[in-house]
Amino acid sequence: MKKRSWMTLGVALTVLATVWLAGCSSKEGGNGNGASGEPASGTASALESIKSRGKLVVGVKYDTKLFGLKDPASGNVEGFDVDIAKALAKELLGDETKIELKEVTSKTRIPMLNNNDIDIIVATMTITEERKKEVDFSDVYFKAGQSLLVKKGSPIKSINDIKKGTKVLAVKGSTSVDNIKAKAPDATILEFDNYQDAFSALKAGQGDTLTTDNAILYGMAVQDPNFEVVGEPFTDEPYGIAIKKGATDLLNSVNAGLKKLHDSGEYDKIYEKWIGKAPSGE
Ligand code: GLU
């Protein structure tokens, strides 16, 4: 693990916090919109709708250890993103239990947001210019970089070892697919619907390496120590919380909430709980 890349997160967030100017324009009371329990469908009144409904509906991953993983035994969904979402529910609605989690994958998350199935996406989602055409993003709340997961002893030690015919596993709808196509155009890319399926395929020997954000790959290495993350990260993947375009009041409140989590030390606690335990890879 690049300790420094985690460290730069703090610096980046501090910078972002200082440029944050917008205030929370919410007023208590609500206007009755969205009280049906459905996610907010309006734009300007998105925050009011959430408040009158009394529940924040959040799209999180169910397949990504450390960020959002559903425990099949307990049914609980747990991880860094889940805790950030709960902390935001507390900031917005005064109580972290005023939240409903819905499963998203890399491919379904933007359509679900724009279809009003969810209010916000907190799901290992990189802020990109292309995605900004479809959704708005909060300030950066986590910094990752794309890397490679291999079985220990693999001849693949870095992106430079990916040659023609190397089978690379990735997940549909992720930036990882486009990035690996650009960085290793001769590789054979096999795409899966979610990260657990991709990891199962790697374990079954269906591919030589699995590529996505280092933070996600560390979660897999925790699940099965026969696998390890190799090479330097070869992209920047700044995570943002995605919000429906034009829902400015909600966006401002989410950014205000993130800033409060930093100021109170809550962010650091959540980070330490999930990411502090990740293997260093050094
Ligand atoms: N952060 C990358 C992305 O947003 C990869 C992780 C994911 O698939 O969610 O596409």
Side-chain angles (χ1 to χ4, degrees), residues 164-177:
K164 192 172 171 63
T166 303
K167 281 191 195 148
V168 182
L169 312 179
V171 165
K172 289 175 191 164
S174 68
T175 52
S176 324
V177 170

Side-chain angles (χ1 to χ4, degrees), residues 198-273:
F199 190 29
S200 297
L202 183 70
K203 288 196 265 194
Q206 290 170 28
D208 303 303
T209 179
L210 193 166
T211 190
T212 188
D213 301 339
N214 49 1
I216 297 175
L217 298 176
Y218 288 122
M220 294 174 183
V222 170
Q223 282 181 314
D224 188 336
N226 294 315
F227 291 84
E228 65 181 348
V229 182
V230 291
E232 297 289 314
F234 48 87
T235 68
D236 290 325
E237 307 290 333
Y239 291 0
I241 293 168
I243 292 157
K244 204 171 175 190
K245 266 198 169 302
T248 315
D249 55 352
L250 180 57
L251 180 64
N252 289 343
S253 291
V254 164
N255 278 335
L258 283 175
K259 185 179 182 309
K260 276 198 189 164
L261 296 184
H262 281 283
D263 292 347
S264 68
E266 181 68 17
Y267 179 94
D268 289 343
K269 274 192 212 156
I270 296 173
Y271 187 94
E272 195 48 39
K273 176 177 168 191

